[in-house]
Amino acid sequence: MTKSALQIARACYQPKLPKALKGHVKAVGGEATQSVADQEDIKRLFPNTYGMPLITFEATDEAAGFPPVNVGVILSGGQAPGGHNVISGLFDGIKKLNPQSRLYGFILGPGGLVDHNYKELTADIIDEYRNTGGFDIIGSGRTKLETVDQFEKGYEILKELDIKALVIIGGDDSNTNACVLAEYYAAQGYGVQVIGCPKTIDGDLKNAMIETSFGFDTACKTYAEVIGNIQRDCNSARKYWHFIKLMGRSASHIALECALQTQPNVCLVSEEVEARNMSLDDIVTYIAGIVAMRAERGDNFGTVLVPEGLIEFIPAMKRLIAELNDFLASNAAEFAHIKKSHQRDYIISKLTPDNAAVYASLPEGVARQLTLDRDPHGNVQVSLIETEKLLSEMVGTKLAAWKAEGRYKGKFATQHHFFGYEGRCAAPSNFDADYCYSLGFAASALIACGKTGYMASVRNTTAPAEAWVAGGVPITMMMNMERRHGEMKPVIQKALVDLNGAPFKTFAAQRERWARETDYVYPGPIQYFGPTEVCDQPSKTLQLEQGVVK
Ligand code: FBP
């Protein structure tokens, strides 16, 4: 395999670990826990894994002997920088417990477990992937583990390979499935532990105990670099408005973090759009107002950041999507037989009048994108909806009307971008490299102390890695009941942008100035070697949430 100079240098990087995981480790249990909401339902659905205590790891002088353990690992869902380091941390952790321990990777996500598709991850393989981006060591997939048949098929191969613990590295939906699997194996008495790890660039798998999901840091830094480059281009040519859609599914954490890093002229935050009950026209008027205001100053250029999930948060659209989700879930077979050219009219005829009117008002392309297949977890595939183009077209139309009325005299030329896949497999930043390695190591410590239904956690992450606090959080603690595919299901509660939180407030306090003035910040590429203030800073979101920067 040909390697770049950076890959070769980076392979030698030794990720940092919290002090407590460096030597002998002891697990300290805290208070019993309860779910964030719907306690009675969650307790009933998870009788074996509900209410377990929080676990914190501490250093100890007492060495405990461990028998060898065979462990399986799965990468689930979208790629996120640092996945390979979770696996290498897990590998090093179980080898430290006992050098005879073995690690098996299931190929292409949870489907690999069900289809018995796996490979043993030996030291040679692991060494090839240390500190690299991507999930290609074993691949990832979005198969949803939810049926008893899948759990049993999985158990067959676990039994055959004598695997006693399975680590599922995934986002909120995959960790929900990890918890359901943990509960099932515990109920059956199969003696297989299931441990989750918080992964997703979206940053929406976080709570009081999970400070951030891995990959968010690197992905945002990668997008912020390119947004900075675009802003410099835009401030050089002074002729384009750039509409930049950013991945992140429902939550706007990525757009907000990128805004904090780059100071664009406009950044929409879906959660605010919903809270203010804004219509599509309100959003368009807001952006057009800023374009017109800058035009008066002679600045016919700018940048607009659009979170990928925006459309789902416009209240009228949200109601429409909820009805479409339920309708398509129960009429999938009939819908599949409707000719493409008739689908729009068919949907309009089936929806309630208000939703039918909203659907009918949408441009053809967006209307069609809303009826495309849901992902296996029932989510609209928002990455396929071209919101950046929808908005810029509508802003253009509004400005043309204002021009006709003599209210606007500028020029409005646009460029469109969608940043998502560009950042999901970037080489992990030092933060993600260390955080992921520590999460993998913490997972091995949870295995050592016999836990199941836990997510590995590493806290105090704005301090130097030495002072990070590693432990485990019962997954049931993060759960509530939500409507999925037309049914109420137990799921991990998604963390959306908190409009009372420091990251949003910091942004909101400055956005008017950023809109008016051209005060772009150019973060530049991620640096792996050099001064700590350049190489080791966690995301602004994390720093603001933890009160480390004002
Ligand atoms: P996860 O939630 O699985 O981490 O995926 C994150 C994500 O990158 C979203 O931001 C995006 O909407 C989605 O995956 C895209 O899905 P796909 O990889 O299937 O195109």
Side-chain angles (χ1 to χ4, degrees):
M1 216 192 290
T2 316
K3 288 191 179 143
S4 69
L6 181 70
Q7 271 179 290
I8 294 165
R10 200 59 187 155
C12 305
Y13 178 74
Q14 179 54 50
K16 302 179 199 81
L17 272 181
K19 194 165 169 229
L21 294 180
K22 285 184 179 167
H24 303 305
V25 180
K26 95 173 166 206
V28 180
E31 302 275 299
T33 57
Q34 52 175 352
S35 59
V36 276
D38 308 311
Q39 287 85 7
E40 285 314 308
D41 287 330
I42 307 289
K43 192 172 175 177
R44 181 174 46 77
L45 292 164
F46 295 89
N48 294 281
T49 50
Y50 187 84
M52 301 181 298
L54 289 167
I55 299 293
T56 305
F57 295 122
E58 290 181 6
T60 175
D61 292 335
E62 283 165 39
F66 287 98
V69 59
N70 288 357
V71 173
V73 64
I74 295 176
L75 289 164
S76 181
Q79 286 69 253
H84 290 159
N85 272 26
V86 178
I87 296 181
S88 56
L90 176 64
F91 179 85
D92 292 350
I94 62 168
K95 290 284 183 188
K96 189 176 136 195
L97 292 173
N98 188 308
Q100 305 304 318
S101 297
R102 296 168 90 161
L103 183 62
Y104 294 91
F106 289 97
I107 309 296
L108 290 174
L113 177 72
V114 180
D115 301 337
H116 299 185
N117 192 5
Y118 66 90
K119 74 172 176 201
E120 181 170 359
L121 297 172
T122 56
D124 286 355
I125 299 177
I126 294 285
D127 287 349
E128 282 291 310
Y129 288 93
R130 289 180 192 269
N131 309 310
T132 57
F135 278 5
D136 42 319
I137 187 170
I138 47 176
S140 185
R142 291 198 184 276
T143 301
K144 190 170 159 60
L145 282 181
E146 58 181 350
T147 66
V148 166
D149 187 45
Q150 290 173 313
F151 300 166
E152 287 293 336
K153 285 232 173 70
Y155 180 56
E156 275 170 26
I157 188 68
L158 296 174
K159 207 163 50 171
E160 191 181 314
L161 298 172
D162 194 25
I163 289 176
K164 292 284 185 258
L166 185 63
V167 176
I168 299 185
I169 302 170
D172 51 344
D173 289 327
S174 308
N175 274 285
T176 295
N177 297 154
C179 194
V180 174
L181 189 65
E183 175 65 33
Y184 180 81
Y185 286 167
Q188 300 301 313
Y190 285 168
V192 177
Q193 300 163 247
V194 183
I195 303 294
C197 261
K199 168 237 73 169
T200 177
I201 60 161
D202 301 351
D204 57 3
L205 173 47
K206 64 175 171 183
N207 49 56
M209 292 297 141
I210 302 292
E211 293 180 355
T212 186
S213 54
F214 79 76
F216 175 75
D217 186 80
T218 311
C220 289
K221 283 176 177 154
T222 306
Y223 306 141
E225 176 205 347
V226 187
I227 294 166
N229 295 349
I230 287 175
Q231 293 191 146
R232 220 158 198 161
D233 191 285
C234 152
N235 196 15
S236 303
R238 306 195 173 196
K239 60 177 183 183
Y240 291 127
W241 272 88
H242 291 264
F243 282 71
I244 305 167
K245 184 171 80 162
L246 290 156
M247 254 192 187
R249 213 187 277 285
S250 302
S252 308
H253 298 294
I254 292 182
L256 181 57
E257 171 67 22
C258 290
L260 290 165
Q261 288 193 32
T262 61
Q263 306 190 173
N265 302 106
V266 179
C267 173
L268 302 172
V269 174
S270 308
E271 293 81 346
E272 184 184 27
V273 164
E274 181 171 39
R276 292 192 171 191
N277 202 9
M278 289 171 86
S279 64
L280 194 50
D281 186 59
D282 293 336
I283 298 170
V284 168
T285 307
Y286 169 68
I287 302 172
I290 291 173
V291 174
M293 182 251 291
R294 286 179 63 81
E296 266 173 38
R297 300 163 60 100
D299 294 336
N300 288 300
F301 65 92
T303 45
V304 180
L305 305 191
V306 181
E308 135 178 294
L310 178 76
I311 205 119
E312 285 187 290
F313 282 76
I314 299 169
M317 296 294 295
K318 192 176 186 161
R319 288 191 291 275
L320 165 65
I321 290 171
E323 189 180 350
L324 271 176
N325 283 349
D326 286 356
F327 176 76
L328 292 172
S330 43
N331 298 278
E334 185 176 314
F335 184 66
H337 285 106
I338 307 287
K339 270 199 190 155
K340 267 216 172 81
S341 52
H342 292 91
Q343 284 178 349
R344 189 183 168 95
D345 289 341
Y346 168 81
I347 293 280
I348 292 172
S349 73
K350 297 289 179 184
L351 294 174
T352 49
D354 282 359
N355 286 337
V358 175
Y359 188 82
S361 74
L362 294 174
E364 185 78 37
V366 175
R368 193 179 46 77
Q369 284 155 357
L370 286 180
T371 59
L372 294 179
D373 286 348
R374 273 40 186 163
D375 76 4
H377 299 275
N379 305 309
V380 174
Q381 299 194 55
V382 279
S383 59
L384 302 179
I385 301 175
E386 294 180 315
T387 335
E388 70 285 18
K389 290 193 181 148
L390 170 75
L391 287 178
S392 85
E393 264 174 51
M394 293 178 79
V395 168
T397 308
K398 178 138 309 219
L399 289 170
W402 287 356
K403 198 169 242 177
E405 292 164 19
R407 285 169 63 189
Y408 165 71
K409 295 192 178 59
K411 288 193 192 119
F412 183 64
T414 55
Q415 295 288 346
H416 304 104
H417 316 266
F418 168 34
F419 297 144
Y421 301 101
E422 294 81 349
R424 300 200 310 181
C425 284
S429 60
N430 285 350
F431 176 86
D432 271 327
D434 297 345
Y435 182 55
C436 290
Y437 188 75
S438 301
L439 283 171
F441 226 91
S444 74
L446 287 167
I447 294 169
C449 61
K451 301 295 171 195
T452 191
Y454 275 77
M455 188 182 290
S457 77
V458 172
R459 291 183 285 128
N460 200 27
T461 49
T462 51
E466 176 88 359
W468 289 358
V469 178
V473 186
I475 303 179
T476 50
M477 189 183 175
M478 307 169 199
M479 288 192 157
N480 67 169
M481 300 296 290
E482 284 176 25
R483 198 170 179 77
R484 294 288 169 95
H485 285 302
E487 266 179 70
M488 291 307 282
K489 295 257 169 151
V491 292
I492 293 177
Q493 195 175 57
K494 236 185 225 314
L496 299 177
V497 168
D498 176 5
L499 301 182
N500 292 312
F504 180 79
K505 283 187 164 171
T506 305
F507 156 75
Q510 304 186 74
R511 65 177 153 189
E512 271 177 40
R513 187 175 59 77
W514 297 350
R516 201 175 48 247
E517 294 163 23
T518 303
D519 190 16
Y520 303 144
V521 175
Y522 313 112
I526 295 175
Q527 301 293 310
Y528 302 94
F529 309 99
T532 192
E533 69 276 16
V534 180
C535 301
D536 300 322
Q537 294 300 313
S539 66
K540 296 227 180 263
T541 303
L542 203 47
Q543 294 186 51
L544 286 161
E545 281 173 348
Q546 299 197 5
V548 182
V549 285
K550 299 249 158 15

